[in-house]
Amino acid sequence: MRESNPTVREALYEASQILQNQKEAAILLAHHLGQDRLWLITHDDEIVENPSGYFALVQRRALHEPVEYITENVSFYGETFHIAPGALIPRPETELLIDQAKAVIETENIRHIAEIGTGSGIIAVMLARLFPSLQIIATDINPEALKIAKTNARKFGVSDKITFTETSFLEGINQNFDMIVSNPPYIPDAHVAGLDREVGGYDPHLALAGGADGLDAYRMLTLRAASALRNGGHLIVEVGIGQVE
């Protein structure tokens, strides 16, 4: 048991030894102290209050819980979003989905968009921020994910631009759209169990498993798009490696 509270420098050293990752140790300490990582560098002689609280976070990470769920923050497209268990942690690759949608919106008369499987809401929120004239309906079957999405919409001031709806795909929504975007589950069911612990053990199963070949959601998406997209509309989706054709 420690006789006194450690300094920032001492706490970081001990946590780095446990995690074998100095960056993650710093992210967790900055979160614990309510500071940024630059502050840690310039205040490394400061005493860490409630060190047991900090090392509880470190132990959670040592058990492979994602840093994003521990801090309830995730970086995406240059912004910091709220995240929590119940919604898939967005990956950097999904920023390409934003880029593709953005390129179409900038060149065509896109006004009404549906996002299917919104999760944390980061796609809908980013598009609403980039294009204030858009009206977006974002659906998800998981009420916990929708709570997280609504929190992000409020944080970025776009709640009036997005209607969040608890439903499967577009069931019960009778409207035509200029664009449908989606990052659906696309991992074959048999492969989910073999994912890294911090993915398979923490990300929602519904957001990962895509059926026997990983393509179940795409079959439904194309059916929905055929009836819900206006003539000349766009369906933009993220797909897994080897699934493009």
Side-chain angles (χ1 to χ4, degrees):
M1 182 175 293
R2 298 183 185 87
E3 295 182 358
S4 61
N5 288 1
T7 63
V8 166
R9 181 174 56 253
E10 291 167 342
L12 277 177
Y13 176 79
E14 185 174 343
S16 297
Q17 295 299 109
I18 295 170
L19 297 177
Q20 295 296 299
N21 190 311
Q22 188 173 19
K23 179 181 178 181
E24 290 184 353
I27 290 172
L28 294 175
L29 184 55
H31 171 72
H32 173 70
L33 297 174
Q35 303 288 350
D36 57 33
R37 286 161 61 194
L38 178 60
W39 186 92
L40 301 181
I41 296 171
T42 58
H43 295 76
D44 66 346
D45 288 329
E46 293 273 353
I47 295 298
V48 174
E49 299 297 334
N50 185 23
S52 61
Y54 170 55
F55 283 99
L57 302 182
V58 172
Q59 287 302 323
R60 287 170 63 184
R61 178 58 189 144
L63 293 173
H64 303 283
E65 183 175 353
V67 170
E68 292 87 354
Y69 283 153
I70 297 171
T71 63
E72 297 190 349
N73 285 309
V74 61
S75 295
F76 183 81
Y77 220 79
E79 302 288 354
T80 300
F81 286 83
H82 171 65
I83 192 67
L88 182 77
I89 297 171
R91 270 60 174 186
E93 294 80 5
T94 303
E95 294 183 0
L96 298 175
L97 192 67
I98 300 288
D99 290 339
Q100 293 295 319
K102 181 181 174 183
V104 175
I105 295 167
E106 287 175 338
T107 58
E108 301 199 23
N109 186 30
I110 304 294
R111 289 290 179 268
H112 296 96
I113 291 179
E115 186 198 358
I116 294 175
T118 193
S120 61
I122 50 117
I123 294 172
V125 170
M126 275 309 309
L127 291 177
R129 290 201 73 206
L130 292 168
F131 301 98
S133 64
L134 291 177
Q135 288 295 322
I136 302 171
I137 291 179
T139 71
D140 206 291
I141 60 173
N142 183 352
E144 291 303 313
L146 289 173
K147 289 179 184 177
I148 298 165
K150 291 175 182 178
T151 296
N152 281 319
R154 287 192 298 270
K155 175 179 179 179
F156 289 99
V158 294
S159 295
D160 60 329
K161 304 294 182 184
I162 308 171
T163 301
F164 292 103
T165 303
E166 184 181 341
T167 190
S168 176
F169 291 88
L170 294 172
E171 287 184 13
I173 297 173
N174 298 313
Q175 181 178 337
N176 288 329
F177 298 95
D178 304 314
M179 176 184 289
I180 295 173
V181 296
S182 184
N183 178 18
Y186 52 70
I187 299 172
D189 291 349
H191 296 175
V192 173
L195 294 172
D196 290 342
R197 279 181 64 186
E198 66 182 84
V199 177
Y202 290 93
D203 275 320
H205 182 81
L206 281 173
L208 298 172
D213 60 359
L215 300 177
D216 282 2
Y218 299 94
R219 296 185 180 98
M220 185 63 73
L221 277 167
T222 52
L223 287 173
R224 295 298 184 188
S227 59
L229 280 176
R230 65 166 175 79
N231 187 34
H234 298 265
L235 172 63
I236 300 179
V237 295
E238 180 172 328
V239 298
I241 295 173
Q243 294 178 321
V244 173
E245 290 187 17

